[in-house]
Amino acid sequence: YAGKVLVLDFWYRGCGWCVRAMPQMNALADHYRGKAVAIMGVNKDKDLADAKFTVEAVGMRYESLHSEEIPKLYHILGYPTLVVIDTKGVVRDVHIGYSTDLQQSLTVIIDGLLAERD
């Protein structure tokens, strides 16, 4: 993902706020499709079937990988947590929890990071 703004969406099936945030994350992924932005879900469910069920149920339109280790590397303690990484690989923002203006807040951050690289 070098050269792209990367948004990591840490989630799991039993997190109601994670699932509630997914439509906003889908909209964000649609908005930036074809641009230098990647949205990546990181699921930590022990049972991969739980993750697959959620991906299908919400119609997730961005990639999601399954890992119990990656959240540990980022010291994720609360869910959902969104980590925004700039085009050089530097963590520039961390958003913990759900908010009704999640999509708008992330758009401002991402657009700012895209402007920095131009």
Side-chain angles (χ1 to χ4, degrees), residues 41-58:
V42 182
N43 172 269
K44 72 164 200 134
D45 284 308
K46 292 192 185 309
D47 186 350
L48 188 55
D50 285 336
K52 288 181 178 182
F53 173 84
T54 304
V55 166
E56 291 172 12
V58 300

Side-chain angles (χ1 to χ4, degrees), residues 9-13 18 22 41-44 51 54 60 64 79:
D9 174 15
F10 291 90
W11 66 278
Y12 66 97
R13 180 181 176 180
C18 297
M22 287 177 181
V42 182
N43 172 269
K44 72 164 200 134
T54 304
M60 187 181 283
S64 191
Y79 289 84

Side-chain angles (χ1 to χ4, degrees), residues 5-118:
V5 173
L6 175 62
V7 180
L8 298 176
D9 174 15
F10 291 90
W11 66 278
Y12 66 97
R13 180 181 176 180
C15 170
W17 294 114
C18 297
V19 175
R20 191 167 180 179
M22 287 177 181
Q24 291 187 69
M25 296 305 295
N26 275 340
L28 201 67
D30 291 344
H31 177 74
Y32 287 107
R33 196 164 315 284
K35 297 181 181 162
V37 177
I39 313 292
M40 174 68 69
V42 182
N43 172 269
K44 72 164 200 134
D45 284 308
K46 292 192 185 309
D47 186 350
L48 188 55
D50 285 336
K52 288 181 178 182
F53 173 84
T54 304
V55 166
E56 291 172 12
V58 300
M60 187 181 283
R61 295 190 299 271
Y62 52 100
E63 295 290 324
S64 191
L65 58 92
H66 181 260
S67 174
E68 293 179 49
E69 296 305 314
I70 294 174
K72 293 175 189 173
L73 294 173
Y74 283 89
H75 306 286
I76 304 301
L77 300 174
Y79 289 84
T81 294
L82 301 163
V83 176
V84 182
I85 301 170
D86 70 14
T87 59
K88 295 179 177 136
V90 177
V91 173
R92 297 291 294 272
D93 188 72
V94 177
H95 182 95
I96 302 169
Y98 172 80
S99 65
T100 57
D101 68 342
L102 186 62
Q103 179 185 350
Q104 293 86 353
S105 298
L106 289 171
T107 298
V108 169
I109 294 163
I110 293 168
D111 286 350
L113 292 174
L114 290 174
E116 283 181 12
R117 74 180 189 112
D118 294 335

